[in-house]
Amino acid sequence: SNNNDSNNTNYNNNSESPVVKFDTLIDIGAGPGLATLPLSKFFERTIATDVARPCCWRLRSKGFQGVQGDGLSPDVLTKLESILGPDTNIDVIAALNILDRCSEPITLLARIRSLLSTHPNNSGRLLLALRLPVDQRVVGADGSAEPPSESIPLAGSPTDLDGAVELRWEEALNALADWLEDEMGFEIDVFTRVPYLLQGEHSTTQPFLALDDVVMLCSLTK
């Protein structure tokens, strides 16, 4: 920040409590930015990606740098590299309820880790939200569910699009934590369990489904 009054600390208009400003937030699959907006007040700079062009327009209208593309695909990475520049510290990358809806979640996490590893002292963080137990469904162009190219290998997750062999939520969280640390290089710093409302599929009697999400802040393993 170039604010000489406050060493990256701003004050809200409605309170004297300081708001610490970090450097850069990247929100992947941000949609129209409903979750991006409250997060962005803690960062000097917010970059958000989404595959849909109308969502990118909405993101830019809210003052974010909107990048169109699928997740962190090679074309999106190229765009981000040109935007970020060599001296940018990526403090947080947010991936909120997208891992179970993208075709290559393992590749996506590996790319996130690679980006975060450029932060000094490896102090960048992953903000991850995911429905538990994990149920991967990739929505095709015609609205139908398709199997992902990469499966998140958690015991107790549904074995296919029609079956559901599920662990309890707490057991699924333990399995996720082990996989993130052992295979993907992330360790959980803090987490919380929150409700997640999902629009019902082809249902008039149940327009919304109440699911259980985990929201976690993860650091890179040493």
Side-chain angles (χ1 to χ4, degrees), residues 67-69 74-84:
V67 177
Q68 185 181 1
D75 65 309
V76 173
L77 282 174
T78 300
K79 293 176 184 177
L80 286 175
E81 288 170 356
S82 65
I83 291 172
L84 291 169

Side-chain angles (χ1 to χ4, degrees), residues 50-64:
D50 199 85
V51 69
R53 181 172 296 177
C55 285
C56 289
W57 292 341
R58 293 283 299 275
L59 292 167
R60 291 169 189 143
S61 72
K62 294 176 180 178
F64 309 135

Side-chain angles (χ1 to χ4, degrees), residues 89-125:
N89 292 330
I90 303 171
D91 291 294
V92 174
I93 295 180
L96 306 178
N97 293 303
I98 62 170
L99 281 190
D100 56 351
R101 294 297 180 263
C102 71
S103 185
E104 299 180 328
I106 297 174
T107 299
L108 177 60
L109 279 177
R111 287 173 174 156
I112 289 174
R113 195 184 195 289
S114 178
L115 279 175
L116 289 174
S117 66
T118 63
H119 194 286
N121 302 318
N122 281 348
S123 57
R125 295 290 187 272

Side-chain angles (χ1 to χ4, degrees), residues 101 131 137 139 143-145 196-211:
R101 294 297 180 263
R131 173 206 167 177
R137 293 172 185 265
V139 179
S144 62
Y196 174 52
L197 296 180
L198 179 68
Q199 186 173 357
E201 298 176 359
H202 312 296
S203 173
T204 56
T205 59
Q206 193 176 17
F208 287 94
L209 303 175
L211 307 174

